[in-house]
Amino acid sequence: MLDPAEAYKGYTAYDYLEAGKDYKEFTYAKQIGRVPAYEGLGLSAAEEERTRTLLAEETVISLHDHVQVFPEDMGQLREHIRQGREPTGYEGLSRSGITAVFDNGMDGTCCISSDAGWKYQDVLFDLGVRMADLAHQDYVIKAETVKDIERAQAEGKVAHVFALEAATMIENEVDRLDVLYGFGVRQMGIAYSEQNTLGSGLKERGDGGLTYFGERAVERMNKLGIAIDISHSGDRTCVDVIKASTMPVFITHAGARGLWPTNRMKTDETIIECAKRGGVIGIEAAPHTTLSPAHPKHSLDSVMDHFQYCVDLVGLEHVSFGPDTLFGDHVGLHHAFSSNLSISQAHGHVDYEEVEYVDGLENPAEEFYNIIGWLVKHNYSDDEIRAVVGGNTMRVLKEVWV
């Protein structure tokens, strides 16, 4: 495998265009060193070496992240989003050790033409512009198959998989799934926090479950080879989707409600049903999600409490990581788009201390070094680490991606 530092040649997003002429230029957040480095692992020299070796040599897959760079001044966020030109954080990815990342783009904040988000034309615009940028560089590979991920691993590059957090933009047009697949989308949620034509989101007062149209959409996703995600769906809808799908289903970014009782976390029933059918849960790390009684101030330790809970519940072979990080002020993003992202309904009803960032899992560049380091420190074997940072996800993809 080539060293990623050698494979990356310094390309910056939209280098093929002229800033200030072809698009409005913003000052963007640092991809490396925006916040102090995490110091909580306490690794010995031998443990540090083992951590670096595992990160460099194994297939490491993020089931859910947002690898765009956000403005340094979050007061400019909506103006930045309006022009529909999200910059990929190539520099940060080159330092991440990630083999493949499921990039969920702007989801409900893709507000190019409407503050409501989720518009079909906006999603296509967002996908198309991002793909035009990817096509002008050769470090990040647009990945659509397992072979693309294997190629990235062999060449020291990053496989970038386009994903969407909900199918809201297809409205009642099932054939739009084919269009999105043609654009390169290989993973898709059913509903975000708000209900749509497929089923219920986790914020709703009532959950009617998967609709008849939702059943058609699940069937079409199975036929196309789009991996299904139920992270933001309501409890009944989650279980309905798992049972309707002929393929294993992902919970790409969530935690356990048995550990932290918010709607954003998944019930034991949902996690168990997902695992029984071969699926995987990716442990979430976006600010103020996967807190725990033992670590109520959100940090790597809080997140790993959810990891351990899920391993104990369904077995290590059904657990992975979908950290849900980005390059920039994630808490500021939540404040700016709290209504779009249903923050209060998803995380309300439980008191917590707000943090400025999640210590140890602040961005895609640092997350997997610290995750692997924690696993090393807590005496997980190389085979166990290999499974949870990528192997379990690859097993499902080999079945789902037709």
Side-chain angles (χ1 to χ4, degrees), residues 113-129:
S113 66
S114 165
D115 278 340
W118 297 117
K119 305 305 180 189
Y120 183 58
Q121 71 269 23
D122 288 1
V123 170
L124 292 182
F125 187 95
D126 184 39
L127 290 170
V129 170

Side-chain angles (χ1 to χ4, degrees), residues 84-218:
R85 196 169 292 281
E86 300 299 317
T88 300
Y90 297 104
E91 178 191 11
L93 285 173
S94 75
R95 299 276 291 275
S96 70
I98 291 173
T99 309
V101 57
F102 284 76
D103 180 359
N104 285 257
M106 293 308 297
D107 54 78
T109 67
C110 184
C111 299
I112 299 169
S113 66
S114 165
D115 278 340
W118 297 117
K119 305 305 180 189
Y120 183 58
Q121 71 269 23
D122 288 1
V123 170
L124 292 182
F125 187 95
D126 184 39
L127 290 170
V129 170
R130 295 284 304 286
M131 290 176 197
D133 184 47
L134 288 182
H136 283 85
Q137 54 79 57
D138 62 3
Y139 173 65
V140 172
I141 297 169
K142 181 188 175 188
E144 300 176 347
T145 66
V146 169
K147 286 184 178 179
D148 290 334
I149 295 176
E150 293 170 342
R151 175 191 157 203
Q153 174 70 8
E155 297 181 3
K157 297 182 178 181
V158 176
H160 179 284
V161 185
F162 279 101
L164 297 168
E165 293 200 53
T168 303
M169 77 296 297
I170 75 168
E171 298 177 312
N172 62 346
E173 302 280 355
V174 73
D175 288 343
R176 287 183 176 179
L177 291 168
D178 300 60
V179 176
L180 291 164
Y181 181 88
F183 265 69
V185 173
R186 291 295 180 271
Q187 182 191 88
M188 187 180 295
I190 295 298
Y192 198 68
S193 296
E194 294 182 344
Q195 181 170 303
N196 60 23
T197 55
L198 286 76
S200 181
L202 57 82
K203 84 174 214 179
E204 303 295 354
R205 294 186 183 91
D207 183 350
L210 190 66
T211 65
Y212 286 122
F213 177 75
E215 291 177 358
R216 288 181 60 205
V218 166

Side-chain angles (χ1 to χ4, degrees), residues 109-353:
T109 67
C110 184
C111 299
I112 299 169
S113 66
S114 165
D115 278 340
W118 297 117
K119 305 305 180 189
Y120 183 58
Q121 71 269 23
D122 288 1
V123 170
L124 292 182
F125 187 95
D126 184 39
L127 290 170
V129 170
R130 295 284 304 286
M131 290 176 197
D133 184 47
L134 288 182
H136 283 85
Q137 54 79 57
D138 62 3
Y139 173 65
V140 172
I141 297 169
K142 181 188 175 188
E144 300 176 347
T145 66
V146 169
K147 286 184 178 179
D148 290 334
I149 295 176
E150 293 170 342
R151 175 191 157 203
Q153 174 70 8
E155 297 181 3
K157 297 182 178 181
V158 176
H160 179 284
V161 185
F162 279 101
L164 297 168
E165 293 200 53
T168 303
M169 77 296 297
I170 75 168
E171 298 177 312
N172 62 346
E173 302 280 355
V174 73
D175 288 343
R176 287 183 176 179
L177 291 168
D178 300 60
V179 176
L180 291 164
Y181 181 88
F183 265 69
V185 173
R186 291 295 180 271
Q187 182 191 88
M188 187 180 295
I190 295 298
Y192 198 68
S193 296
E194 294 182 344
Q195 181 170 303
N196 60 23
T197 55
L198 286 76
S200 181
L202 57 82
K203 84 174 214 179
E204 303 295 354
R205 294 186 183 91
D207 183 350
L210 190 66
T211 65
Y212 286 122
F213 177 75
E215 291 177 358
R216 288 181 60 205
V218 166
E219 181 183 21
R220 182 65 62 87
M221 290 184 204
N222 288 162
K223 289 177 177 178
L224 283 166
I226 296 176
I228 296 173
D229 174 29
I230 54 171
S231 298
H232 280 274
S233 297
D235 296 340
R236 178 181 170 186
T237 298
C238 284
V239 175
D240 285 354
V241 170
I242 293 166
K243 293 180 177 179
S245 177
T246 59
M247 299 290 180
V249 167
F250 284 122
I251 305 168
T252 66
H253 59 301
R257 199 176 301 172
L259 197 59
W260 194 251
T262 69
N263 291 348
R264 185 64 185 80
M265 302 294 97
K266 292 303 173 191
T267 64
D268 284 4
E269 178 191 13
T270 298
I271 298 168
I272 290 168
E273 289 297 325
C274 177
K276 280 167 60 176
R277 288 160 177 78
V280 167
I281 179 171
I283 305 301
E284 159 85 68
H288 313 125
T289 56
T290 41
L291 304 174
S292 72
H295 298 98
K297 184 175 181 179
H298 207 187
S299 67
L300 174 64
D301 286 326
S302 316
V303 174
M304 299 310 288
D305 287 343
H306 283 264
F307 167 77
Q308 191 60 61
Y309 182 100
C310 291
V311 167
D312 293 342
L313 182 66
V314 293
L316 184 138
E317 65 272 23
H318 297 291
V319 186
S320 190
F321 295 94
D324 193 9
T325 68
L326 49 81
F327 295 110
D329 181 1
H330 204 157
V331 176
L333 174 69
H334 283 178
H335 287 165
F337 281 98
S338 59
S339 60
N340 297 65
L341 303 176
S342 305
I343 299 297
S344 61
Q345 294 94 340
H347 309 300
H349 319 302
V350 179
D351 292 331
Y352 58 87
E353 178 183 352

